């Protein structure tokens, strides 16, 4: 029996009496890989320095090496959509925090706060936008002077025909001409 902790993340290797090796991740509590090595009488194992493989040794001193490709062991369905108990937290929580100030930092990738925040923002935007749009359409169709309506209606129809990204792209690229703000991504466009 042996246990070996990763130097790069919260992963660890375990080996049981039968010689089966398990690749585990501590935060999610998941066993990511179980492998029967087929080597009799295993005595020890060790991660490679970059955690991209591991070495196992048997009783006679023979070594065997396995490559391990597991660039993001912290990502599982449980960690993306469930509560996770992170180190330093009082209880399991939904947390999104992709970067930190130190190398000891562990990324937290719960999508639940992002999805909930998006839905909440959409709901509040609709609470404001729908009444304004309906009242504006009602005013334009029923109360606006016909001369002004003749200018507003075609303008709104043209704006509705073009996707929002095209308006944003034109503005970012310095439209109308002479605009002082221009994105370097639009260097291909010569005005």
């Amino acid at each position: 029996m042996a246990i070996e902790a990763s130097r790069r993340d919260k992963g660890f290797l375990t080996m049981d009496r039968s010689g089966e090796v398990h690749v585990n991740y501590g935060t999610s509590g998941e066993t990511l890989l179980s492998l029967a090595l087929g080597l009799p009488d295993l005595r020890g194992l060790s991660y490679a320095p970059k955690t991209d493989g591991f070495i196992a040794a048997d009783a006679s001193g023979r070594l065997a090496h396995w490559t391990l490709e597991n660039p993001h062991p912290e990502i599982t369905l449980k960690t993306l959509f469930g509560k996770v108990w992170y180190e330093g937290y009082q209880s399991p929580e939904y947390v999104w925090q992709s970067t930190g100030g130190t190398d000891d930092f562990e990324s937290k990738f719960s999508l639940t706060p992002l999805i909930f925040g998006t839905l909440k923002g959409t709901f509040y935007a609709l609470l404001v936008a729908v009444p304004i749009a309906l009242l504006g359409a009602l005013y334009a169709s029923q109360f606006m002077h016909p001369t002004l309506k003749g200018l507003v209606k075609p303008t709104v129809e043209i704006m509705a025909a073009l996707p929002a990204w095209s308006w944003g792209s034109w503005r970012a690229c310095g439209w109308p001409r002479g605009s002082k703000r221009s994105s370097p991504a639009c260097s291909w466009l010569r005005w």
Side-chain angles (χ1 to χ4, degrees), residues 49-142:
K50 292 185 179 180
T51 316
D52 58 356
F54 64 93
I55 295 173
D58 65 8
S60 64
R62 289 183 306 181
L63 297 176
H65 176 264
W66 285 268
T67 301
L68 183 63
E69 290 186 32
N70 192 16
H72 302 288
E74 67 275 6
I75 305 289
T76 63
L77 285 176
K78 179 182 172 186
T79 60
L80 288 177
F81 297 106
K83 288 184 175 183
V84 178
W85 199 331
Y86 290 103
E87 186 176 351
Y89 283 70
Q90 298 298 320
S91 63
E93 294 184 24
Y94 298 109
V95 180
W96 171 269
Q97 185 180 3
S98 61
T99 60
T102 68
D103 290 338
D104 296 335
F105 174 77
E106 179 181 13
S107 298
K108 299 162 184 72
F109 292 120
S110 176
L111 294 179
T112 305
L114 299 178
I115 293 168
F116 180 73
T118 300
L119 293 175
K120 187 169 75 169
T122 301
F123 174 74
Y124 288 129
L126 286 173
L127 276 179
V128 172
V130 168
I132 290 173
L134 290 176
L135 291 174
L138 180 67
Y139 176 76
S141 68
Q142 300 298 318

Side-chain angles (χ1 to χ4, degrees), residues 146-169:
T147 307
L148 186 57
K149 187 180 194 178
L151 293 172
V152 170
K153 188 173 185 286
T155 304
V156 169
E157 288 174 354
I158 288 174
M159 288 175 63
L162 293 173
W165 64 264
S166 62
W167 290 109
S169 299

Side-chain angles (χ1 to χ4, degrees), residues 32-52:
L32 305 174
L33 175 68
S34 292
L35 188 61
L37 301 180
L39 294 174
D41 203 20
L42 283 176
R43 297 292 181 185
L45 72 156
S46 179
Y47 263 120
K50 292 185 179 180
T51 316
D52 58 356

